Amino acid sequence: MRPPRIPPQPQPAARSAAWPVGLLVALCFTTLPLFLALSPGRPTLFDLWQQMGIRVTLHYDDETKPKPSSEPSDSPSPESPRDVLLGGLLSPDIAESTCRSRYLSSLYRPPSPHSPSPYLVSRLRKYEALHRRCGPGTPLYDKSVRQLASAHHSMGLAECRYLVWTPPPPPGAGGNHHNNLGDRVLSMTSAFLYALLTRRVFLVDMPKDMAGLFCEPFPGASSWELPVAGFPVKNLTRLRRGSEHSYGNLIGEKKVGGEEPAAVRAELLPAYAYLHLAHDYQLPDHRFFCDGDQTVLGKVNWLLLRSDLYFAPGLFLVPQFEDELRWMFPAPDTAFHHVGRYLFHPSNKVWKVIAGYHASYMARFDDRIGIQIATPTTTLAAGNGSPAAPGLPAAEAYFEQVTACVRQQNILPEVDPDAASTDYDAAAASKAVLVSAARPELAERLRSVYYEHATVNGESVTVLPQPGAAGKQPGNQKVLVEMFLLSYCNVSVASGWSTVGYVGNGLAGVKPWLLPPPPRNQTSASPHCVRATSMEPCFHAPPSYDCRAKKSGDLGAVLRYVRRCEAVDGGLKLFD
């Protein structure tokens, strides 16, 4: 019998030569991610694993945590299960009953082709933990407020640091038209992104006309609303450009900025600094977007910020934020799309109106066109356009521009002036048009055109009633309803400077057709509309100071993904 064959064994010399190579490979795979993860401003090892495609699943045994229903009863019935948590963007730790829009709103839109990065998801979970630990009602918050009330200076870096967003004053109280809900949503989005970048707790000085509009965005008992009653800085509405604690004033009086940023001692800084980033800001407030000034601001525990601008593109110009923003948003033009969908969820009261309108008017249409018309009455603050020329009403000029745009771009069909509206093929495709405009006669006029005449291609066009036209909704509630209904449209046409339009198409994740303002002393723009190459909102009034060159310059030429807006002269915008 032949003895069993024994496989050849490696010789000792071969083994001794192989083990150092294996050890070296193992060290490369373990130490390199650890080195990157432990570097300041870099992602964690968990984030790196996810970026490398290594899926890590965490299981929790806590069965008491609320979980969203996969098919809510009052939502459209999807053909397949939908990702109501938006790829991990939203935490499941908020009960559906407390904020129905959080779990239902995404069911009214097609699935977004833009997935949030694993690093952004990780940063949001870490922020939520920070808010639970340091938000209002916690011992650390109470300690920070007492320090703010008693200290004349920053008292060194504290465990919790804060960013308080406060809106511009309303019209009639020193305010102006740069204070609508669209402006506020965009500036709050920018402020929250800044809080993420600087590891600050984000708090909102909620104005009365916004009370009850939104759900609490962060899980846990701590609110995002600033408890004004016990806050030691009084009269936040009186903060203005040049106020005593404004950062621009501190620079002007040489209290900061006179030495190397790294050498500035936190103990010598004021207890709080006011950041004026509204449309009327000037130098030296523009230096907020400079790297050295951000180093100084990082040593102040409390920052109070007022803005009516989408200033997020300016944050991409700050060198110390570049790497982290690249990890958060590999496609820069998804910044508002992701942060806006994370932060803003209509309250149950407002959601009832939104869902009711959608079920009554929009649900049966697959092809939905949203038109947002902003007819300015004054020249924009940054010099970005002008109203229609005297002698021709602005509404008339913009109506003609809108109709020319939608027909030339085949968004809506031409009408046949010789055919009545009953002469179309009932089996032909149908389109729904939602018009959002301050002047309701614009929607009524478009409705009459398609009500009285058939279209040349046989399509039926239904112009939907304006939301809230027959009701008595508060002004901001009506605007919020329209913004979300616009976000359920798959085609967007909007005035180039419309912040309401920015929010609608940004939440939808669609690139709009933009209506540029007519040139000065002219009645129409040519072309009538341009297709946006980015779904991002426009930063209407960017700084004129180039921090890198230390002089005024074109900030639209600094980075390839921060460029000039398509329809607002002088504005900046994020591109992919």
Side-chain angles (χ1 to χ4, degrees):
M1 179 181 296
R2 179 179 297 176
R5 184 178 180 183
I6 300 175
Q9 299 297 317
Q11 299 300 315
R15 286 199 299 265
S16 63
W19 76 265
V21 176
L23 179 60
L24 181 60
V25 172
L27 286 173
C28 288
F29 274 96
T30 56
T31 58
L32 180 59
L34 282 171
F35 172 76
L36 291 174
L38 294 175
S39 301
R42 298 289 184 177
T44 66
L45 182 57
F46 176 78
D47 304 322
L48 286 165
W49 281 339
Q50 290 185 304
Q51 293 283 7
M52 293 164 62
I54 302 173
R55 186 175 182 87
V56 179
T57 304
L58 302 179
H59 297 278
Y60 298 93
D61 294 329
D62 185 359
E63 296 297 331
T64 63
K65 289 186 177 181
K67 296 180 176 58
S69 172
S70 59
E71 290 192 29
S73 58
D74 58 345
S75 70
S77 298
E79 296 179 0
S80 58
R82 295 285 291 276
D83 178 17
V84 296
L85 296 180
L86 309 179
L89 193 71
L90 303 181
S91 166
D93 296 339
I94 293 180
E96 181 182 324
S97 60
T98 65
C99 187
R100 299 191 64 77
S101 67
R102 182 181 180 87
Y103 298 108
L104 301 181
S105 186
S106 63
L107 302 180
Y108 291 84
R109 307 183 187 107
S112 173
H114 313 286
S115 298
S117 70
Y119 182 64
L120 176 60
V121 171
S122 173
R123 285 292 299 119
L124 291 172
R125 299 295 86 81
K126 291 175 182 175
Y127 173 80
E128 291 163 0
L130 173 68
H131 201 96
R132 283 192 293 266
R133 187 172 71 252
C134 298
T138 65
L140 287 174
Y141 175 83
D142 295 340
K143 177 182 177 181
S144 297
V145 169
R146 288 195 299 269
Q147 288 178 337
L148 176 62
S150 62
H152 296 290
H153 299 285
S154 188
M155 300 296 290
L157 294 180
E159 183 174 353
C160 301
R161 298 184 301 152
Y162 298 86
L163 175 70
V164 179
W165 176 88
T166 183
N176 50 55
H177 66 286
H178 296 273
N179 192 27
N180 66 46
L181 188 63
D183 298 328
R184 294 180 182 182
V185 166
L186 295 176
S187 66
M188 290 170 71
T189 303
S190 306
F192 176 68
L193 179 56
Y194 179 60
L196 274 184
L197 291 168
T198 56
R199 275 63 173 175
R200 292 179 180 273
V201 177
F202 178 63
L203 299 177
V204 176
D205 175 24
M206 193 69 72
K208 292 181 179 179
D209 60 356
M210 284 179 62
L213 288 184
F214 297 106
C215 299
E216 292 283 348
F218 312 128
S222 182
S223 173
W224 68 335
E225 294 190 27
L226 176 74
V228 178
F231 195 62
V233 182
K234 303 300 181 183
N235 300 319
L236 295 181
T237 57
R238 296 184 181 179
L239 294 171
R240 296 288 191 279
R241 185 183 68 198
S243 293
E244 179 185 0
H245 279 77
S246 71
Y247 187 67
N249 186 62
L250 296 176
I251 294 175
E253 295 186 359
K254 301 187 184 304
K255 295 181 180 179
V256 297
E259 54 185 309
E260 286 297 319
V264 175
R265 294 172 56 191
E267 294 81 3
L268 300 180
L269 293 172
Y272 72 92
Y274 165 60
L275 305 174
H276 187 79
L277 299 181
H279 66 278
D280 62 344
Y281 73 139
Q282 300 173 355
L283 275 173
D285 290 304
H286 288 187
R287 283 178 51 176
F288 170 84
F289 298 101
C290 295
D291 205 52
D293 295 86
Q294 280 300 322
T295 298
V296 175
L297 288 170
K299 301 176 183 182
V300 181
N301 293 331
W302 285 86
L303 296 180
L304 314 181
L305 184 149
R306 167 164 292 152
S307 179
D308 51 17
L309 299 168
Y310 181 67
F311 62 86
L315 300 176
F316 283 75
L317 296 170
V318 182
Q320 63 184 273
F321 297 154
E322 280 188 71
D323 286 348
E324 187 158 9
L325 285 168
R326 190 178 300 114
W327 278 92
M328 285 185 183
F329 310 106
D333 66 341
T334 62
F336 177 79
H337 180 61
H338 291 319
V339 178
R341 290 187 307 156
Y342 171 79
L343 202 59
F344 297 104
H345 308 283
S347 66
N348 285 350
K349 177 182 178 181
V350 180
W351 176 248
K352 184 177 181 180
V353 178
I354 295 172
Y357 183 96
H358 184 276
S360 299
Y361 300 107
M362 298 180 72
R364 65 186 180 92
F365 295 97
D366 293 327
D367 198 357
R368 300 188 286 258
I369 296 96
I371 300 178
Q372 210 294 318
I373 305 174
T375 51
T377 56
T378 59
T379 302
L380 294 175
N384 309 319
S386 59
L392 184 66
E396 176 73 18
Y398 284 117
F399 179 79
E400 293 178 0
Q401 184 176 352
V402 169
T403 53
C405 168
V406 296
R407 291 171 182 170
Q408 290 174 3
Q409 303 303 332
N410 296 317
I411 298 171
L412 292 179
E414 294 272 2
V415 297
D416 183 350
D418 299 323
S421 60
T422 56
D423 296 342
Y424 64 82
D425 181 1
S430 60
K431 295 183 177 182
V433 182
L434 175 68
V435 179
S436 168
R439 304 181 66 163
E441 62 266 25
L442 296 174
E444 292 300 325
R445 185 170 175 184
L446 188 64
R447 180 181 295 109
S448 66
V449 169
Y450 285 99
Y451 180 78
E452 295 171 3
H453 301 284
T455 60
V456 295
N457 63 359
E459 284 185 329
S460 67
V461 175
T462 301
V463 179
L464 304 177
Q466 278 199 283
K472 296 182 179 180
Q473 298 179 45
N476 277 335
Q477 179 175 315
K478 179 178 181 295
V479 174
L480 180 57
V481 168
E482 290 188 359
M483 286 193 295
F484 268 76
L485 292 175
L486 287 169
S487 78
Y488 302 145
C489 297
N490 44 26
V491 177
S492 174
V493 179
S495 300
W497 56 85
S498 169
T499 56
V500 172
Y502 294 163
V503 174
N505 60 253
L507 294 176
V510 301
K511 297 176 182 178
W513 289 92
L514 297 174
L515 305 164
R520 188 175 295 277
N521 299 324
Q522 296 186 29
T523 59
S524 63
S526 180
H528 294 105
C529 58
V530 295
R531 183 66 182 272
T533 55
S534 166
M535 60 185 174
E536 272 286 297
C538 180
F539 183 6
H540 284 170
S544 58
Y545 184 71
D546 184 345
C547 303
R548 305 183 192 218
K550 296 185 178 180
K551 62 180 181 180
S552 295
D554 181 9
L555 297 183
V558 176
L559 300 173
R560 66 170 183 80
Y561 48 83
V562 181
R563 305 202 298 272
R564 291 300 178 185
C565 303
E566 300 95 341
V568 177
D569 292 339
L572 283 184
K573 189 173 180 179
L574 293 169
F575 293 81
D576 186 8

